[in-house]
Amino acid sequence: MIDANVLGQLLLMQTVLISLPETDSFFSFICRGLEDLPGIASVRHSFDKKPIVDDSVVLFMLSRSGVSYGQIELVVSDYDQYLPYDDCLRNFMFMVEIILEERRQKRLSVECKLGLEKLVNIRDQQLSKESKEKYDIQEALIESENKYEQIFNATSDGILVHDIDGDQIYDANEPFLKMFGFKKSEILQTTPDFLSSGVSPYDKDGVKNKIEQVIKEGPQIFEWQAKKSNGEFFWIEIYLTYTSIAGKNVVISAVRDISVRKQTQEMLIHNEKMISVGGLAAGIAHEINNPLSAMMLSANILLNRLYGQKKQQPSLEIARELGLSYESLVEFMDRCKVRKMLNSLLESGERISDIVSNTLNFTRKSSAEPTNCDVTKILDKSIELVTTGYDLEKQYDFKSIEFYKDYQSDLPQIKGHASKLQQVFINLLVNGAQAMCSSGKEQLQFNLRLRFIEDEQHILIEIEDNGPGMTEFTRTRVFEPFYTTKNPSDGTGLGLSVSYFIITTEHGGQMSVESQFGVGSKFIIKLPVE
Amino acid sequence: MEKERKKIVLGFTDQEFDQGAHICQIFSDDEERHDVLVNYIVSGLKGGESTACFSDNESEASLMEFFKENGLAYKELENSGDFTLSKTAEIYFENGEFIPEKMLSLLKSFYSNSKDKGCAGARVVGEMSPEVEHVSGGDRLLEYECMVTMFQKEFPVTAVCQYDARKFDGATIMDILKVHPQMIVKGKVVNNPFYVHPQDYIAKKIKTSEYK
């Protein structure tokens, strides 16, 4: 069982880490904090690359985007105590990597922007200065122009130069054109607001406000929702400056694509929430178990005493002692619907017991050893299982749904638990079918996609339906325990949460969902290939 | 059995606390530190509490305007002794030495005076300077924080301790966390999951011979 206080410690460490400068201090804080975790004897950070052969040492290599931040070595004194926290620590280390990478990116960004500003100033001075020799001016100008052009295009950030009214674009560098999918001749015909999503505040008024701000208050850094030439929205970070080039006032936007960072942040926040909510739910479930068992046991004994075949003797004796007729007593109970109520009590108890058992799965890892799994076979078997049944009560029928399979052949096997993965697939297929059948659409279909992503060494599984889709509110909460859009009688709100934990905690994978309201939903699973 | 204590607000959060809380703020931003400090001081003075501030980063000028905005007369409060502002070194390292017992005696007289004057309570905010690591007795800092927690059981002086994450080593910051029952996280006071009860903490230190 995971101690919620330890989860609290890990979350608090993440918060404090952000305040610590990136030096030895950052790692000494981590090491001192992790020393108190259950089952850990000592913790060390180093840049050694020596392989560790000691079984009692757990190693976390910290690296991101090809940059190494060393390794953290945990000397484990009690593996049983440590094991429940292994996944939490992996998430924690991932967060540490992200913090370090963010800092590195920020540092690079500042260096790049300072360099660019300096260059613009030099060029401006060169252009403004009156030279004695016309020839020299031209030469200097050509040289400066070449130098400017080279650096203008060599920077990894996109750069856009436009007027202070936001009506005319003067220039854009190669990375900017690539990021937005335009040719230079095309972009010069557009305006900055055309490159924005158009969703307030990322529209024409928003552009004007930002320009006013940079003129009044100086350089601005902010996030912006932008639009590519194909209409796709994406997130960028803009460093906006106001300057003058060759006597003309211009606004320069240094732009960076932060879509991946945004997704990572969303995933991290979600992971943190799932760990804390899952841990809490499991804690409550554990507390419910004992009184629930007592309640169900009592209900069972009552039923047996009143109606059981073999255990009537003690009841008969008590009735006889009290001068009551046992048959009349049972008749009385029946007429008062006691039997019905007791059965209802037991049914409800069983339902609670199912919920408790599912909830406890949040923090309980499967004790079985993972085996080689063929994801294609498991997915096909899941489809076979769900399509052979028709549930009248639930009002969905797989026979009315088309399955379009786009499977890559020769997928590598993964290490995992086939039955658990089947549980996830069945859950997604049944949820999708329920949603599609309730949408009133005529042509219902699942698009199933399997791919091996070699660079990232994982199997990608996509299960897409053309049901009613979800609102953004629902999409961000869909994996939270007990969150459901169904009637209380149709679902507990645990299916997707349990699936999420099976994929992330038990298989070290990732699970996310994309959805467009009115169009459909796509669940994306990534399972690592060892 | 502890007496029921008066409820107070700290100014930087809407939460209510019993008098005698011991809270730690780890900051890396001067504005964040200043916000907590001034709101804490002003809410104390408005609530009729005797208030003391030990900081190297605050001056009469930096506080005066905030007092004025909140309808408080700085000079009047200073003259009456309801508010005192001192430099960290003047209080903590008098004669270049850090003596926890002396600090506790100072806190005790601060509390007694406030009681004699009929104040509604007593609160302090102290920003610890990294100089503590270089003065004689500085190695007793964590012991001192433990002593403050125990002292507050008898004398409910509310205390906020501020530590600059940019100036202390990470391991020290973690040790500091362990001796504060509560801490400020994103403007809210939370129960500190790292907190170790003073007696347990000192017992552990004795065991590992880090503490005499």
Side-chain angles (χ1 to χ4, degrees):
Chain A
M1 190 70 190
I2 285 179
D3 180 353
N5 195 56
V6 176
L7 291 180
Q9 289 180 350
L10 290 174
L11 292 177
L12 185 68
M13 278 174 78
Q14 288 176 15
T15 311
V16 178
L17 270 178
I18 293 164
S19 310
L20 296 171
E22 189 188 343
T23 53
D24 292 345
S25 181
F26 187 89
F27 287 109
S28 70
F29 178 79
I30 294 175
C31 294
R32 186 64 64 95
L34 295 182
E35 273 171 6
D36 286 349
L37 250 62
I40 291 177
S42 64
V43 186
R44 187 174 88 103
H45 171 259
S46 76
F47 282 96
D48 295 350
K49 286 187 176 166
K50 278 184 260 167
I52 304 231
V53 284
D54 189 346
D55 282 348
S56 67
V57 175
V58 178
L59 201 62
F60 294 96
M61 306 295 294
L62 301 174
S63 73
R64 204 95 207 138
S65 307
V67 178
S68 168
Y69 301 105
Q71 60 190 40
I72 288 182
E73 300 160 20
L74 305 183
V75 179
V76 178
S77 54
D78 185 332
Y79 205 73
D80 287 340
Q81 274 191 19
Y82 163 76
L83 194 60
Y85 301 99
D86 187 63
D87 283 321
C88 305
L89 271 175
R90 281 179 203 286
N91 281 337
F92 173 76
M93 296 301 175
F94 176 64
M95 184 69 189
V96 168
E97 287 175 340
I98 293 289
I99 294 171
L100 291 168
E101 175 61 10
E102 278 274 319
R103 288 183 182 185
R104 194 180 70 88
Q105 290 286 349
K106 256 187 198 158
R107 220 172 30 236
L108 286 177
S109 173
V110 168
E111 281 166 14
C112 172
K113 279 156 199 165
L114 285 175
L116 186 70
E117 273 176 14
K118 203 172 164 187
L119 204 68
V120 168
N121 284 336
I122 291 168
R123 183 168 185 256
D124 195 25
Q125 280 167 16
Q126 284 174 338
L127 293 173
S128 307
K129 205 173 170 184
E130 281 185 13
S131 175
K132 288 174 193 165
E133 300 281 342
K134 194 181 172 186
Y135 177 79
D136 286 350
I137 291 176
Q138 280 173 344
E139 280 294 295
L141 202 62
I142 290 164
E143 197 189 330
S144 166
E145 193 76 49
N146 288 339
K147 212 168 165 185
Y148 171 79
E149 199 68 31
Q150 274 173 12
I151 296 176
F152 189 58
N153 287 320
T155 166
S156 62
D157 285 344
I159 297 168
L160 184 77
V161 185
H162 58 84
D163 69 337
I164 56 167
D165 296 319
D167 290 333
Q168 197 184 348
I169 290 175
Y170 296 133
D171 206 353
N173 71 349
E174 288 298 334
F176 189 93
L177 297 172
K178 205 172 160 192
M179 199 186 296
F180 280 77
F182 282 104
K183 287 180 187 160
K184 192 144 188 176
S185 56
E186 290 169 343
I187 210 147
L188 296 179
Q189 303 299 316
T190 65
T191 53
D193 65 279
F194 182 78
L195 303 170
S196 304
S197 71
V199 179
S200 178
Y202 314 108
D203 52 11
K204 194 164 187 169
D205 287 343
V207 171
K208 290 218 155 161
N209 286 340
K210 288 293 176 193
I211 294 175
E212 275 172 24
Q213 252 176 320
V214 76
I215 293 171
K216 275 185 200 161
E217 298 164 18
Q220 306 281 317
I221 301 179
F222 52 90
E223 291 181 357
W224 195 257
Q225 195 177 43
K227 188 176 70 181
K228 293 185 181 178
S229 63
N230 62 6
E232 185 192 328
F233 292 173
F234 69 116
W235 284 96
I236 54 175
E237 185 180 74
I238 301 181
Y239 177 74
L240 202 66
T241 48
Y242 167 63
T243 185
S244 107
I245 298 179
K248 194 186 276 183
N249 291 333
V250 296
V251 175
I252 301 176
S253 304
V255 170
R256 170 170 295 177
D257 185 345
I258 55 164
S259 310
V260 175
R261 191 207 299 173
K262 281 283 225 193
Q263 278 168 7
T264 313
Q265 276 170 351
E266 194 183 324
M267 197 181 82
L268 281 171
I269 292 167
H270 181 69
N271 271 352
E272 271 186 36
K273 198 158 70 178
M274 291 299 282
I275 289 171
S276 49
V277 176
L280 187 68
I284 294 168
H286 188 71
E287 291 301 317
I288 288 171
N289 241 348
N290 288 341
L292 176 68
S293 306
M295 188 189 93
M296 289 184 68
L297 187 67
S298 300
N300 258 321
I301 292 172
L302 263 176
L303 271 171
N304 270 331
R305 288 213 174 145
L306 289 170
Y307 308 106
Q309 294 301 311
K310 290 178 186 167
K311 294 182 181 172
Q312 280 185 21
Q313 204 51 39
S315 312
L316 282 170
E317 276 170 23
I318 295 168
R320 198 177 306 127
E321 275 174 31
L322 295 171
L324 295 168
S325 149
Y326 179 77
E327 289 72 23
S328 309
L329 196 60
V330 171
E331 175 71 19
F332 169 77
M333 293 292 193
D334 271 352
R335 286 205 198 172
C336 292
K337 297 183 179 167
V338 171
R339 190 200 300 239
K340 199 177 165 193
M341 285 190 270
L342 280 172
N343 280 325
S344 162
L345 192 65
L346 274 176
E347 271 171 33
S348 303
E350 272 160 21
R351 189 167 153 77
I352 297 173
S353 172
D354 283 346
I355 295 172
V356 167
S357 158
N358 273 335
T359 311
L360 284 173
N361 281 338
F362 285 133
T363 50
R364 192 178 284 160
K365 266 189 138 176
S366 172
S367 55
E369 282 295 312
T371 53
N372 284 335
C373 296
D374 183 333
V375 175
T376 312
K377 276 188 186 163
I378 299 171
L379 183 57
D380 278 341
K381 181 75 186 160
S382 308
I383 295 169
E384 192 188 316
L385 283 170
V386 293
T387 48
T388 47
Y390 170 73
D391 191 333
L392 189 64
E393 203 181 317
K394 303 257 180 193
Q395 297 177 328
Y396 59 85
D397 179 8
F398 276 96
K399 293 185 180 69
S400 64
I401 301 170
E402 295 285 342
F403 284 83
Y404 292 94
K405 295 178 185 175
D406 175 11
Y407 294 174
Q408 180 182 329
S409 57
D410 303 329
L411 284 180
Q413 295 202 324
I414 61 145
K415 284 268 185 208
H417 306 277
S419 61
K420 296 266 175 138
L421 290 174
Q422 191 168 293
Q423 181 185 342
V424 173
F425 297 151
I426 290 177
N427 191 274
L428 293 178
L429 292 169
V430 169
N431 277 351
Q434 278 180 316
M436 283 194 280
C437 291
S438 68
S439 69
K441 290 185 180 176
E442 283 188 3
Q443 285 189 321
L444 308 178
Q445 68 181 62
F446 272 118
N447 291 321
L448 307 169
R449 194 159 170 261
L450 291 179
R451 290 281 185 278
F452 172 50
I453 309 296
E454 205 166 350
D455 292 352
E456 296 168 29
Q457 284 292 300
H458 67 238
I459 304 272
L460 174 79
I461 305 148
E462 291 181 354
I463 300 181
E464 185 178 14
D465 65 57
N466 66 343
M470 304 174 209
T471 60
E472 186 58 12
F473 181 83
T474 299
R475 190 192 70 77
T476 54
R477 281 161 187 79
V478 81
F479 295 119
E480 283 178 21
F482 303 109
Y483 180 80
T484 179
T485 54
K486 298 175 192 169
N487 291 328
S489 57
D490 290 342
T492 58
L494 286 173
L496 280 177
S497 318
V498 172
S499 299
Y500 181 87
F501 274 87
I502 290 173
I503 296 299
T504 56
T505 309
E506 298 211 16
H507 290 85
Q510 292 171 30
M511 187 169 180
S512 59
V513 59
E514 290 173 0
S515 188
Q516 210 175 335
F517 192 62
V519 178
S521 302
K522 179 158 76 176
F523 283 85
I524 302 156
I525 293 171
K526 292 174 183 175
L527 292 171
V529 175
E530 281 187 354
Chain B
M1 183 95 172
E2 274 182 53
K3 270 196 241 168
E4 196 173 317
R5 293 187 170 179
K6 207 183 273 180
K7 296 277 180 200
I8 51 162
V9 288
L10 304 179
F12 52 86
T13 164
D14 295 336
Q15 299 159 280
E16 271 197 341
F17 297 87
D18 285 339
Q19 279 186 332
H22 189 196
I23 301 163
C24 167
Q25 184 194 20
I26 306 293
F27 66 91
S28 59
D29 179 272
D30 293 324
E31 206 175 320
E32 185 190 340
R33 178 199 60 79
H34 180 73
D35 275 356
V36 164
L37 181 133
V38 286
N39 284 301
Y40 176 72
I41 292 173
V42 165
S43 71
L45 292 171
K46 279 185 165 177
E49 291 186 47
S50 189
T51 304
C53 170
F54 315 138
S55 171
D56 287 335
N57 292 305
E58 296 297 341
S59 62
E60 186 179 321
S62 69
L63 295 175
M64 185 82 91
E65 199 181 337
F66 211 83
F67 272 54
K68 207 172 161 188
E69 276 173 23
N70 284 279
L72 297 169
Y74 187 96
K75 281 288 170 202
E76 217 172 277
L77 289 162
E78 192 179 47
N79 291 337
S80 67
D82 286 343
F83 176 67
T84 51
L85 171 66
S86 321
K87 293 287 170 203
T88 302
E90 285 168 19
I91 297 293
Y92 289 102
F93 324 129
E94 202 188 354
N95 304 321
E97 220 181 342
F98 177 63
I99 308 170
E101 290 78 8
K102 206 167 161 185
M103 280 304 299
L104 288 185
S105 138
L106 192 138
L107 284 177
K108 193 174 170 184
S109 45
F110 173 65
Y111 177 75
S112 307
N113 288 342
S114 71
K115 218 171 165 192
D116 293 344
K117 281 199 292 178
C119 292
R123 64 171 67 187
V124 294
V125 52
E127 187 196 342
M128 186 46 77
S129 149
E131 200 187 329
V132 70
E133 295 181 302
H134 309 291
V135 298
S136 160
D139 55 351
R140 295 182 67 197
L141 174 65
L142 302 173
E143 178 196 348
Y144 163 68
E145 294 285 9
C146 287
M147 286 161 93
V148 170
T149 306
M150 292 197 278
F151 166 86
Q152 287 170 314
K153 289 190 187 302
E154 200 178 342
F155 305 99
V157 177
T158 310
V160 170
C161 308
Q162 297 184 309
Y163 286 87
D164 191 338
R166 296 163 297 187
K167 294 179 181 168
F168 285 89
D169 173 63
T172 310
I173 293 283
M174 178 51 74
D175 286 337
I176 287 161
L177 282 185
K178 290 178 184 172
V179 290
H180 285 88
Q182 290 171 309
M183 66 174 298
I184 302 171
V185 176
K186 292 174 184 166
K188 292 261 176 214
V189 175
V190 298
N191 286 330
N192 179 4
F194 281 106
Y195 175 61
V196 181
H197 191 278
Q199 277 145 352
D200 295 340
Y201 188 84
I202 290 171
K204 194 178 168 189
K205 290 284 170 193
I206 290 170
K207 209 173 153 191
T208 53
S209 308
E210 282 180 34
Y211 171 81
K212 288 163 193 161

